[in-house]
């Protein structure tokens, strides 16, 4: 006789991109049913077999359908309005991260104010209602000034390094729906390094932190990362401790990623916060005792968290981002699989310039050795 086991839990995830796709892989291991809110049938998580509800993440009815019968509602992206989530919480649904915490990941101005007022180190910033605000800010802090869209930015979209008043975007004076500004200005930090720290937190409070990763951005988009970070042990320790306090302060639940700047004189500054599995955690699939995707399911379900330590002396992850004239990663896959020790992940996304369509992770005796393997494999995947 065959019989279908009840799922261990039903998790509803808003969004069906690569983060949901890799969460689906973890859900299979744990007999968790992952239901995703997708816009179309060709999204990465739907192609990975996750049951989908089709709809718009801004549509209260779609969110309600997602939450109905699920143990918890969670997210693979932040572009979800707060009010329908508040309504779901009021109706007794579990939503993790909750709508108030989510605001810190949705709105860069809100996040800067929230953390700055609580005494966390953040770059100098100001809201921008027009060019005169930027000129005033630059008179105090100097050029360049970094202009950031308050919300909706990712992979460097919505981040402009303005070297002088002529570099300002035309819609600088546009107002957001709440009447507030749509841009903020930030002091340009001389970066000695960028770090990312993953923190997982259960709604009941238990928290774990992953070993600190060092990320490298090109044109505002993460190209690669290595773990352990190439910084002194006490700075890595300080980064992990700071990240954990940030997540606690905003009330994040599930997996959260805290991006940090190492500024002049080794001073740490909080850059931004993602309250979901994050690109900076992809290497945890192979490199850590518990992958961020397993950990996210465990955390949002308030299940015991897993250990986070590295399973090798070092690890590296390189994003697969085609440039103009790049070859097709699918056609190059067999050649890439010849590289010993390379773990290739393809997201089943159509390849186009500037778009993240996969990543490669490698473990090694050193970060240099691991990065060499992962980078070589990405070069093969992208060869014309
Ligand atoms: N104030 C700053 N000073 C110097 N560099 C900065 C500053 N702000 C941002 N950057 C650079 O731009 C990158 C992208 O900025 P940020 O993380 O704010 O934007 P994002 O597009 O939302 O990124 P993500 O893809 O991580 O969501 C940073 O990782 C950093 O390299
Ligand atoms: Mg960022």
């Amino acid at each position: 006789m065959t019989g279908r086991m009840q799922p261990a839990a039903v998790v509803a995830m808003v969004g069906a991109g690569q983060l949901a796709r890799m969460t689906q892989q973890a859900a299979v291991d744990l007999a968790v049913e992952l239901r995703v809110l997708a816009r179309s049938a060709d999204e990465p998580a739907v192609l990975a077999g996750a049951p989908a509800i089709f709809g718009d993440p801004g549509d209260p009815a779609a969110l309600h359908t997602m939450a109905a019968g699920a143990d918890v509602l969670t997210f693979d992206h932040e572009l979800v309005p707060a009010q329908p989530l508040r309504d779901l919480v009021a109706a007794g649904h579990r939503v993790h991260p909750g709508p108030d915490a989510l605001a810190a990941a949705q709105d860069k101005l809100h996040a800067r104010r929230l953390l700055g007022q609580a005494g966390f180190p953040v770059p100098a910033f100001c809201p921008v209602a027009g060019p005169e605000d930027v000129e005033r800010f630059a008179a105090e802090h100097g050029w360049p000034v970094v202009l950031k869209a308050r919300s909706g930015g990712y992979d460097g979209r919505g981040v402009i390094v303005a070297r002088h008043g002529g570099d300002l975007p035309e819609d600088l004076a546009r107002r957001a729906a709440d009447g507030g500004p749509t841009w903020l200005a930030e002091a340009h930090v001389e970066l000695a390094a960028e770090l990312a720290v993953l923190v997982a937190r259960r709604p009941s409070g238990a928290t774990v932190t992953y070993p600190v990763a060092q990320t490298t951005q090109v044109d505002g988009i993460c190209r690669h990362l290595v773990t352990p970070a190439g910084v002194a042990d006490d700075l890595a320790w300080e980064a992990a401790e700071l990240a954990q306090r940030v997540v606690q302060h905003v009330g994040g639940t599930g997996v959260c990623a805290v991006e940090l700047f190492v500024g002049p004189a080794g001073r740490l500054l909080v850059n931004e916060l993602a309250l979901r599995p994050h690109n900076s955690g992809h290497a945890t699939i192979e490199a850590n005792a518990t992958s961020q995707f397993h950990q996210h399911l465990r955390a949002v379900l308030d299940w015991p968290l897993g250990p986070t330590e590295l399973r090798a002396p070092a690890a590296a992850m390189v994003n697969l981002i085609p440039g103009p004239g790049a070859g097709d990663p699918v056609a190059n896959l067999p050649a890439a699989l010849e590289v010993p020790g390379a773990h290739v992940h393809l997201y089943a996304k159509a390849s186009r310039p500037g778009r993240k369509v996969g990543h490669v992770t490698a473990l090694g005796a050193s970060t240099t050795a691991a990065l060499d393997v992962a980078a070589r494999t990405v070069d093969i995947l992208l060869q014309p």
Side-chain angles (χ1 to χ4, degrees):
M1 192 181 104
T2 59
R4 184 171 183 264
M5 185 192 105
Q6 284 298 312
V10 178
V11 173
M13 185 172 253
V14 177
Q18 62 259 26
L19 301 174
R21 179 181 175 90
M22 291 183 270
T23 306
Q24 163 67 0
Q25 286 180 297
V28 169
D29 287 339
L30 299 175
V32 165
E33 183 180 311
L34 185 76
R35 171 194 294 174
V36 299
L37 181 62
R39 288 183 186 278
S40 69
D42 60 5
E43 287 200 71
V46 185
L47 294 172
I53 288 167
F54 293 99
D56 184 308
D59 174 13
L63 292 169
H64 189 269
T65 308
M66 283 289 286
D71 292 285
V72 62
L73 181 79
T74 187
F75 308 91
D76 109 323
H77 63 71
E78 283 103 15
L79 306 172
V80 186
Q83 196 51 50
L85 297 179
R86 292 209 174 92
D87 294 343
L88 288 176
V89 172
H93 294 285
R94 290 198 278 169
V95 178
H96 290 293
D100 292 334
L102 213 50
Q106 289 170 327
D107 180 341
K108 290 185 184 199
L109 182 59
H110 170 68
R112 286 274 179 267
R113 285 175 168 154
L114 181 72
L115 296 177
Q117 281 162 9
F120 288 98
V122 296
F125 72 97
C126 79
V128 171
E132 60 292 348
D133 289 332
V134 182
E135 297 288 351
R136 201 176 316 115
F137 186 80
E140 190 180 343
H141 299 278
W143 298 97
V145 170
V146 181
L147 293 164
K148 294 189 173 180
R150 230 173 103 181
S151 61
Y154 67 100
D155 289 349
R157 283 160 213 161
V159 176
I160 296 167
V161 180
R163 313 230 155 247
H164 47 75
D167 281 347
L168 305 186
E170 277 173 14
D171 62 349
L172 207 54
R174 194 161 49 92
R175 311 299 289 180
D178 66 359
T182 56
W183 293 89
L184 64 147
E186 237 175 59
H188 185 264
V189 180
E190 258 336 297
L191 297 174
E194 290 190 70
L195 306 178
V197 188
L198 284 186
V199 176
R201 185 160 170 268
R202 289 172 67 166
S204 56
T207 302
V208 293
T209 303
Y210 281 75
V212 177
Q214 180 170 355
T215 62
T216 299
Q217 272 64 230
V218 178
D219 297 331
I221 182 167
C222 177
R223 284 286 150 172
H224 66 254
L225 66 82
V226 295
T227 322
V231 297
D233 285 350
D234 57 347
L235 188 64
W237 185 89
E238 200 189 311
E241 196 270 337
L242 173 60
Q244 182 159 340
R245 282 192 293 119
V246 166
V247 169
Q248 222 128 30
H249 185 71
V250 305
T253 43
V255 162
C256 312
V258 182
E259 296 181 2
L260 301 170
F261 294 150
V262 183
R267 180 159 181 258
L268 291 175
L269 297 166
V270 180
N271 176 24
E272 61 166 352
L273 191 64
L275 298 183
R276 50 171 169 73
H278 189 251
N279 194 182
S280 65
H282 290 355
T284 61
I285 295 174
E286 291 89 5
N288 296 72
T290 308
S291 94
Q292 66 164 345
F293 301 103
H294 284 83
Q295 199 78 288
H296 186 66
L297 291 172
R298 292 162 70 145
V300 296
L301 286 162
D302 209 13
W303 288 350
L305 300 176
T308 59
E309 75 271 6
L310 276 172
R311 302 161 80 168
M317 189 260 353
V318 179
N319 277 328
L320 185 60
I321 306 170
D328 176 9
V330 171
N332 290 323
L333 181 60
L337 295 177
E338 299 272 9
V339 181
H343 301 277
V344 178
H345 297 256
L346 299 180
Y347 305 153
K349 285 160 77 170
S351 184
R352 59 172 128 80
R355 190 181 202 206
K356 267 186 235 165
V357 295
H359 73 268
V360 178
T361 297
L363 312 187
S366 67
T367 54
T368 321
L371 187 56
D372 176 65
V373 171
R376 213 153 23 91
T377 309
V378 163
D379 286 347
I380 295 171
L381 287 165
L382 295 178
Q383 72 200 354

